[in-house]
Amino acid sequence: MVHVVLPALIPDIKRVYDSYFAAFHHDPMGEIMLNILFPGGNVNSPEFREEHAKGTLAWWHQSDSQYTYKCVDTDNGDIVGMGLMDVILRRRSVEERAFQGVPWLQGEAKERAEKVLKPLHDMREQLFGDQQYIYAHVIGVLPEHQGKQAGAALAGWGLSFVDYTNLPMYFEASPSSVGLYEKLGYERLKETIVHKAETLGTATDISVPLMVKMPKSAGGMSFYEWKEKGYPKFNAATPASKKQKL
């Protein structure tokens, strides 16, 4: 079984999000976040999924920095996983970087979701500001394909993407996955985000590990060294460009 990561296409939207909505049943933090962002327990209903697909397509038409990827089983063409990331190439103003809220929710559900998402936004602003970087929102794999290399394909593709773009990748890990990413060479930051139990509806507060993967062109520089030096650009040639000049 071979997996390949490709850009998601418009006809893929529902199948891509099959992976997203099913992926986190065995990841407590992921399931909590899903329930906060899409409360009501109806994420698998045809009506919800139809409206979600329409909203996703509308967002694709207006976003100039967010990309959705699919992980495909090459034996049969099935979509078995997905990834969502922002690739920030254009320097954005303070207004453009402002927190956008959660426009698809209302009332107490909206207030609760924004209590969770705004600290994530504020931390990105604190760490990166208007710099160029990659923000990985999420990767998800269908439960029946977890442990069968689909997740490894997505993670490996992300590592390659970092090196080919010469951009650092940042994301919020779940407490259950942080060890895996440290083994893959991601740097765990000293900063953390603590979600309060009363907001999450859990017995205790939950701390969110923050991870960065620096590109090979950083020459071993840590995130903090890069930040201290004023976020210098990494201009080293990628492996492909060393082999062949186009």
Side-chain angles (χ1 to χ4, degrees):
M1 181 183 298
V2 177
H3 297 96
V4 63
V5 179
L6 300 168
L9 305 174
I10 289 174
D12 298 326
I13 289 177
K14 289 184 180 180
R15 290 192 297 156
V16 163
Y17 278 93
D18 285 343
S19 298
Y20 172 72
F21 287 117
F24 304 109
H25 294 310
H26 302 295
D27 177 7
M29 189 62 202
E31 190 165 20
I32 289 168
M33 290 295 290
L34 193 63
N35 290 334
I36 288 174
L37 294 176
F38 303 102
N42 64 340
V43 296
N44 292 317
S45 72
E47 295 80 11
F48 172 85
R49 295 299 299 277
E50 186 67 30
E51 289 304 310
H52 180 268
K54 289 178 182 178
T56 299
L57 180 57
W59 175 246
W60 284 12
H61 280 297
Q62 71 181 68
S63 176
D64 66 354
S65 62
Q66 191 169 102
Y67 298 85
T68 304
Y69 294 90
K70 58 185 178 182
C71 182
V72 179
D73 180 347
T74 59
D75 286 348
N76 50 31
D78 288 347
I79 296 174
V80 301
M82 60 84 69
L84 180 68
M85 65 172 64
D86 294 341
V87 183
I88 308 298
L89 299 175
R90 180 177 58 83
R91 294 295 180 90
R92 300 171 301 161
S93 67
V94 173
E95 292 76 15
E96 289 175 308
R97 303 194 310 269
F99 180 58
Q100 300 300 313
V102 186
W104 64 89
L105 295 178
Q106 297 179 342
E108 292 183 2
K110 177 182 176 71
E111 183 179 346
R112 182 190 185 203
E114 291 180 349
K115 283 182 180 179
V116 172
L117 293 186
K118 190 170 188 303
L120 304 181
H121 164 272
D122 292 347
M123 182 60 72
R124 295 194 300 274
E125 182 69 13
Q126 174 186 324
L127 294 172
F128 292 96
D130 69 345
Q131 300 302 311
Q132 296 176 314
Y133 72 107
I134 302 163
Y135 172 48
H137 289 260
V138 66
I139 64 171
V141 175
L142 288 171
E144 61 268 29
H145 288 271
Q146 293 174 8
K148 298 181 180 179
Q149 299 302 306
L154 285 160
W157 178 87
L159 292 172
S160 298
F161 192 73
V162 166
D163 290 334
Y164 277 93
T165 58
N166 291 326
L167 295 175
M169 178 182 286
Y170 168 82
F171 69 100
E172 302 102 9
S174 66
S176 63
S177 66
V178 62
L180 169 63
Y181 288 108
E182 286 180 321
K183 289 179 181 178
L184 290 171
Y186 287 81
E187 176 184 355
R188 184 172 182 174
L189 302 184
K190 62 186 179 183
E191 292 85 359
T192 190
I193 296 169
V194 179
H195 293 311
K196 295 297 183 181
E198 56 266 29
T199 301
L200 299 181
T202 55
T204 61
D205 297 346
I206 295 180
S207 295
V208 179
L210 307 179
M211 314 296 293
V212 170
K213 184 68 175 74
M214 299 294 286
K216 289 179 180 177
S217 54
M221 185 186 302
S222 72
F223 169 78
Y224 293 111
E225 290 170 332
W226 179 59
K227 188 172 184 287
E228 180 67 24
K229 291 177 182 290
Y231 305 100
K233 292 181 70 67
F234 306 121
N235 295 315
T238 63
S241 63
K242 288 179 181 178
K243 293 178 180 179
Q244 178 181 1
K245 292 184 179 180
L246 299 179

